[in-house]
Amino acid sequence: METLGFLLHGFAQALTPTNLMFAFIGSVLGTLVGVLPGIGPTSGIAILLPLTSFLPPAPAIIMLAAIYYGAMYGGSTTAILVNIPGEVASVVTTLDGYQMARQGRAGPALAIAAISSFVAGTLGLVGLTFFAPPLADAALRIGPPEYFGLVILAFSVVVSLSGASLVKGLSAAALGALFALVGLDPMSGVRRFAFGTTTMLGGIDFIAVIIGLFAITEVLLSVEESARAVSLAALGKLMPRWDELRRCVGTMLRATGVGFFLGLLPGSTPGAISFIAYDLEKRVSKTPERFSRGAIEGVAAPEGANNATTSAGFVPLFALGIPATPALAVLLSGLMIYGLQPGPMLFEKQPQFVWTIIASMYVGNVMLLVLNLPLVGLWARLCRVPYAVMAPLILLFSVLGAFSVRNNFSDVGMALAFGVLGYLMVKLGYPTAPLVLALILTPMLENALRQSLSMAHGSPLIFFTRPIAVTLIGAGLALTAWSLLSRRAPQ
Amino acid sequence: MRRANLVCGSLLLALGALSLVEALRLKDDWQGARLMPAVLAVVFAGLGAGHFAPALAAAERPAWPDVPSRRRVGFVFGVLVLYVAVLPSLGFLPATALFVLVLLRALAAFSWTVALALTAAIALASHVVFKHWLGMPLPSGPLGL
């Protein structure tokens, strides 16, 4: 009851005209940050952080938080319309979202992305409201062996993302793992796979990879087919059908559960979690063969999961002062600028501030739904713009997106190289999604593995002495076996 | 055996060898920086060998495009590479305008008027949004644009 009282008081503050205005500005800017490829929530918050310095703490943090969750909403738009993930968490959305757009169903895809984001984001906030302190405490007990188990579980997704050939899917994942190792080793500082050059020392940036593999590859493939537009099919209904919405209810709830609980763990990114949610949905579906061919659940699951993860990330941030993602780390610095030290004492010392921010996030989620749903028709019409106009625009945004990562042209060159690699992979029947997943997971896997071995003085038995780690590793192996058996069944 | 699988399998074996060489080269212990390259060496070797298996050999033939399509893909990619190459010396606005104009004319039968109008709109809008509004340090070139 005390929590509800605090929350109601937070709403009273969040609904003041000033705070409402900054939540709105943040939501709009966040949507824009999500739509523009290359400018993710982290750089979006970092760019706009200095602009909020003239504001009091509450409106400033309300605006920065709204940019963060707004970017999660906006990232799906270009993923669905032109196969460019606006941010990392939307990579999975391209698998079915873009297929739906090609079939003339961009409207329902965009609408379900907005609805699923709203439902999962709001349910995630309910979790944040009621379970923040105890859940954050539990998350703190998770160490490197448990993270290793979590990454093994996430890696099991590779099998179901492999498409027709398991060997080709695993080869793509191995390539992703190799690219993840390029640069300075974060633990020992030694150079790996840098071949004596300084440009490779900073590693291969993720944004350059996804821009190359998704945007540039897609343009090359479309140019080859001399595509006239993404979709020439009639736009038809812009909202999902009732039966689709009903089917997606379970999807959204499952995605919320996966996104929220895994999102509590610091270091587990929305990008990796959206893959897990997508895989879960494919596994529970009676018709998994529809996935990657325009299944509406394939859009609802990753979009729901990444928004639930976004809400969950605020739990360790507020309760423990631990940012779960790089974007939250920038937000944390924003809090510290105002002399607010997140941690167990924040709820006690600054209850009005914390509950105002949490309440404003409920309001912001409603704003995003209201902002995004009416725009569905407008966005969907973009699919009918002639491809001769879209192609230069997509390539231009790709160059700008890759350049914006570190403001240098070596990342642009990297994106071009990955464009060629992606094109060849598609032509030769290699799926690109396992490469992306391995690129995200390998640094986490390596850190967790090495830290665990270090903790146990080199003994791998540590993974079998920790119940949560054993359970997660067992679940990962079981899911891999299940996927392998399911692949054999139709034959 | 399909030639494509043979080539890809050989490439993966080469990557395995590269990973092994890198693991041996690094000055760190086997549970440190060497660990993942060593693991990858084994994984690449296994996957490379897997490409020579009969099941994969019977896989579908790669869907390479016909000659006109191949030329179109090559042309677009060539224009993109050229754009990135001249951007630092020519400046963002002129290079972008040229890039967009060439692609608009090449990919569709737009009249010069329509192509020029679209080029001006796209180049100017991106210049204003990315260079001025978002403050990206894009190259200016001799004209300062």
Side-chain angles (χ1 to χ4, degrees):
Chain A
M1 284 309 287
E2 192 189 19
T3 303
L4 271 181
F6 278 131
L7 184 65
L8 286 175
H9 191 72
F11 269 112
Q13 291 297 314
L15 291 171
T16 59
T18 310
N19 287 340
L20 271 178
M21 184 179 76
F22 283 103
F24 179 77
I25 293 172
S27 301
V28 174
L29 287 175
T31 306
L32 192 67
V33 161
V35 168
L36 294 174
I39 304 173
T42 311
S43 44
I45 296 173
I47 291 168
L48 296 161
L49 185 60
L51 301 180
T52 58
S53 57
F54 66 94
L55 295 171
I61 302 301
I62 283 174
M63 185 171 135
L64 294 174
I67 291 170
Y68 181 45
Y69 54 78
M72 292 297 166
Y73 263 72
S76 60
T77 307
T78 47
I80 290 167
L81 295 176
V82 284
N83 207 26
I84 306 178
E87 34 78 38
V88 180
S90 298
V91 169
V92 198
T93 310
T94 61
L95 298 177
D96 282 281
Y98 185 60
Q99 288 307 317
M100 286 183 75
R102 287 182 71 121
Q103 293 156 15
R105 305 202 65 225
L110 290 163
I112 201 70
I115 294 167
S116 185
S117 296
F118 170 74
V119 171
T122 306
L123 289 177
L125 284 172
V126 175
L128 169 65
T129 305
F130 292 100
F131 307 117
L135 286 178
D137 188 41
L140 199 61
R141 289 197 203 112
I142 296 212
E146 287 75 22
Y147 274 114
F148 178 76
L150 182 70
V151 179
I152 293 292
L153 178 64
F155 256 119
S156 69
V157 176
V158 168
V159 178
S160 66
L161 286 175
S162 287
S165 164
L166 181 63
V167 173
K168 290 186 173 183
L170 293 175
S171 301
L175 264 185
L178 178 69
F179 294 135
L181 296 185
V182 173
L184 286 178
D185 170 40
M187 291 176 81
S188 68
V190 300
R191 298 169 174 213
R192 292 190 299 190
F193 299 102
F195 308 109
T197 62
T198 48
T199 45
M200 302 294 266
L201 282 184
I204 296 177
D205 190 83
F206 191 84
I207 299 292
V209 176
I210 60 170
I211 283 174
L213 282 183
F214 289 87
I216 297 177
T217 295
E218 186 55 40
V219 171
L220 296 180
L221 290 168
S222 302
V223 165
E224 178 191 305
E225 296 164 11
S226 57
R228 291 163 62 199
V230 174
S231 164
L232 288 175
L235 279 178
K237 284 180 75 174
L238 292 172
M239 294 301 286
R241 297 188 299 269
W242 273 114
D243 64 303
E244 288 178 323
L245 276 175
R246 265 202 308 274
R247 225 167 44 223
C248 285
V249 170
T251 303
M252 289 186 236
L253 294 177
R254 280 186 290 274
T256 305
V258 169
F260 185 76
F261 287 105
L262 295 183
L264 290 171
L265 309 175
S268 47
T269 61
I273 293 170
S274 57
F275 271 104
I276 296 176
Y278 180 84
D279 185 57
L280 173 71
E281 218 39 53
K282 196 173 166 185
R283 284 174 198 277
V284 301
S285 171
K286 286 177 185 155
T287 49
E289 66 280 0
R290 289 185 302 112
F291 282 75
S292 302
R293 291 179 185 157
I296 198 160
E297 301 96 313
V299 178
E303 284 306 309
N306 72 41
N307 281 278
T309 305
T310 306
S311 300
F314 283 91
V315 174
L317 182 77
F318 284 153
L320 299 166
I322 299 173
T325 63
L328 286 175
V330 183
L331 194 66
L332 174 67
S333 65
L335 287 167
M336 292 168 95
I337 287 172
Y338 289 101
L340 298 160
Q341 180 61 54
M345 298 307 287
L346 187 68
F347 279 90
E348 285 184 24
K349 284 187 175 172
Q350 303 277 351
Q352 189 176 337
F353 170 78
V354 177
W355 290 104
T356 301
I357 303 295
I358 293 175
S360 82
M361 288 160 71
Y362 282 95
V363 179
N365 264 288
V366 176
M367 277 180 181
L368 282 166
L369 186 71
V370 174
L371 265 174
N372 278 280
L373 275 184
L375 291 176
V376 163
L378 179 75
W379 290 123
R381 275 173 181 76
L382 268 182
C383 289
R384 299 173 67 82
V385 172
Y387 207 77
V389 178
M390 289 300 282
L393 270 177
I394 294 170
L395 293 175
L396 174 61
F397 284 144
S398 300
V399 170
L400 289 166
F403 180 81
S404 72
V405 175
R406 287 179 283 211
N407 293 331
N408 69 45
F409 281 96
S410 58
D411 287 321
V412 181
M414 203 67 84
L416 297 186
F418 275 97
V420 175
L421 177 69
Y423 179 78
L424 292 175
M425 285 178 75
V426 172
K427 288 287 144 193
L428 293 166
Y430 290 82
T432 49
L435 190 157
V436 176
L437 182 66
L439 191 67
I440 300 172
L441 294 178
T442 302
M444 293 162 71
L445 177 86
E446 187 181 22
N447 285 344
L449 178 59
R450 284 166 62 182
Q451 283 172 358
S452 304
L453 290 174
S454 172
M455 279 166 68
H457 307 290
S459 169
L461 290 176
I462 187 169
F463 299 112
F464 304 101
T465 57
R466 316 248 305 202
I468 299 175
V470 172
T471 310
L472 288 168
I473 294 171
L477 295 177
L479 284 175
T480 306
W482 181 16
S483 298
L484 289 171
L485 288 172
S486 320
R487 293 176 73 88
R488 282 188 153 196
Q491 293 164 20
Chain B
M1 183 176 289
R2 298 258 182 259
R3 200 173 58 174
N5 287 333
L6 193 71
V7 172
C8 292
S10 305
L11 269 174
L12 290 171
L13 288 175
L15 288 176
L18 175 77
S19 302
L20 184 64
V21 170
E22 189 70 357
L24 292 170
R25 186 191 65 80
L26 293 170
K27 290 181 177 61
D28 200 21
D29 61 67
W30 287 101
Q31 289 189 355
R34 284 172 149 177
L35 178 62
M36 284 305 283
V39 169
L40 272 184
V42 177
V43 171
F44 274 124
L47 291 169
H51 275 67
F52 296 88
L56 205 67
E60 281 179 29
R61 194 179 285 272
W64 296 115
D66 55 17
V67 177
S69 302
R70 227 178 288 176
R71 278 199 194 128
R72 233 180 0 253
V73 172
F75 174 78
V76 169
F77 191 71
V79 172
L80 179 63
V81 171
L82 204 64
Y83 169 56
V84 175
V86 301
L87 224 165
S89 50
L90 211 58
F92 179 70
L93 190 58
T96 302
L98 273 174
F99 169 69
V100 173
L101 185 64
V102 169
L103 285 187
L104 283 177
R105 288 285 301 168
L107 293 176
F110 285 124
S111 67
W112 275 105
T113 320
V114 174
L116 282 169
L118 278 170
T119 298
I122 293 170
L124 282 172
S126 56
H127 181 79
V128 169
V129 171
F130 290 96
K131 203 165 176 183
H132 290 284
W133 188 36
L134 290 174
M136 274 170 71
L138 292 161
S140 291
L143 300 173
L145 294 167

